[in-house]
Amino acid sequence: MGALDRARAGEAGEPVTVGVRSGMWGPSLGGDTSGYGGLEKPILFPGAAARPYGEYFDEVADELERALVGGSASFDEAIEKVVVDRGELTLHVRREHLLAVARALRDDPALRFEFCAGVSGVHYLDMPGEELHAVYHLVSITHGSRRVRVEVSCPDADPHIPSIVSVYPSNDWHERETWDMFGIIFDGHPSLTRILMPDDWPGHPQRKDYPLGGIPVEYKGATVPAPDERRSYN
């Protein structure tokens, strides 16, 4: 089955290789204790889908394309690619057009994604120029709980993405948490301060290059050492 046939079935296009994972779990520090240290597997991401996307996804794309006409950017300018994978729709939005897309998704009567469940951060070390991703999960209560994922990327060297708190006020604390854990700077946020770590904490703990550390944990008399002090089996 070719890429177009899969897209017609509402599935992803040809997968894209973004890296290689070594061992069972892909650890880069501390050694591989699984016994599969020599295993190598490609890291595959779903590729861009081709129309028709299937389900209600074509209608959402059509209505968003119409809603963006006359604005700061057209659909093709604002949307980097559309991905359909595992029955879910993801719009990869260029960061400079995120606010326009978010307003259209929320306000247009044919779209009405009025609820944003929050934003999650992701750090991809093997994707130069787009290491940091912010992922938003939107729901349309008006249109029977339709869902769409909006994903925005930025480089580690310029970790800026526009805040969408002005469009979805409930995203306030979610953006603070993503800044705290991943270091993504949400421009225009009303108070972008740490929410989990102390204000003077160095670095962002959920980045993939953040050093392992911690304190020994005592559990019923047995002590588990901190991750950076554990035995290596290599």
Side-chain angles (χ1 to χ4, degrees):
M1 181 182 287
L4 184 56
D5 293 326
R6 282 201 299 272
R8 284 174 177 161
E11 298 179 5
E14 291 294 340
V16 178
T17 301
V18 297
V20 177
R21 177 178 290 113
S22 299
M24 180 64 75
W25 316 116
S28 57
L29 297 173
D32 190 307
T33 61
S34 68
Y36 291 88
L39 181 66
E40 289 193 350
K41 298 183 294 183
I43 302 173
L44 301 176
F45 280 8
R51 286 179 178 270
Y53 303 135
E55 300 190 44
Y56 57 81
F57 303 156
D58 291 282
E59 183 181 346
V60 169
D62 290 339
E63 296 297 347
L64 179 59
E65 183 172 5
R66 176 195 52 77
L68 292 174
V69 171
S72 59
S74 67
F75 183 89
D76 290 335
E77 292 170 331
I79 307 301
E80 185 176 358
K81 64 179 177 180
V82 177
V83 171
V84 177
D85 185 52
R86 295 174 175 84
E88 298 179 329
L89 172 67
T90 302
L91 303 173
H92 288 256
V93 180
R94 294 182 173 90
R95 58 177 171 172
E96 61 268 26
H97 303 303
L98 174 60
L99 276 173
V101 171
R103 289 194 188 100
L105 288 170
R106 183 195 66 178
D107 295 341
D108 191 275
L111 295 167
R112 291 296 289 157
F113 287 91
E114 59 269 85
F115 175 61
C116 179
V119 57
S120 305
V122 192
H123 187 205
Y124 295 109
L125 285 174
D126 299 323
M127 299 180 69
E130 49 180 328
E131 292 91 348
L132 294 168
H133 289 229
V135 185
Y136 306 83
H137 308 274
L138 307 181
V139 181
S140 173
I141 300 171
T142 298
H143 296 288
S145 295
R146 287 181 172 181
R147 296 174 182 270
V148 63
R149 180 186 294 108
V150 171
E151 188 164 341
V152 185
S153 65
C154 64
D156 205 355
D158 181 26
H160 291 264
I161 290 175
S163 169
I164 64 168
V165 170
S166 61
V167 182
Y168 294 103
S170 62
N171 235 38
D172 189 334
W173 285 18
H174 294 278
E175 289 185 4
R176 284 181 58 192
E177 183 176 357
T178 304
W179 142 249
D180 194 357
M181 294 290 103
F182 292 92
I184 297 176
I185 301 171
F186 293 94
D187 296 327
H189 188 281
S191 180
L192 195 62
T193 57
R194 291 195 184 269
I195 192 171
L196 298 176
M197 309 304 292
D199 289 339
D200 59 351
W201 190 266
H204 305 279
Q206 287 192 349
R207 287 197 180 197
K208 296 293 178 60
D209 54 1
Y210 190 81
L212 290 176
I215 59 175
V217 177
E218 185 174 322
Y219 178 73
K220 291 186 177 180
T223 299
V224 179
D228 57 347
E229 298 173 358
R230 294 176 189 170
R231 174 182 173 187
S232 173
Y233 289 84
N234 279 1

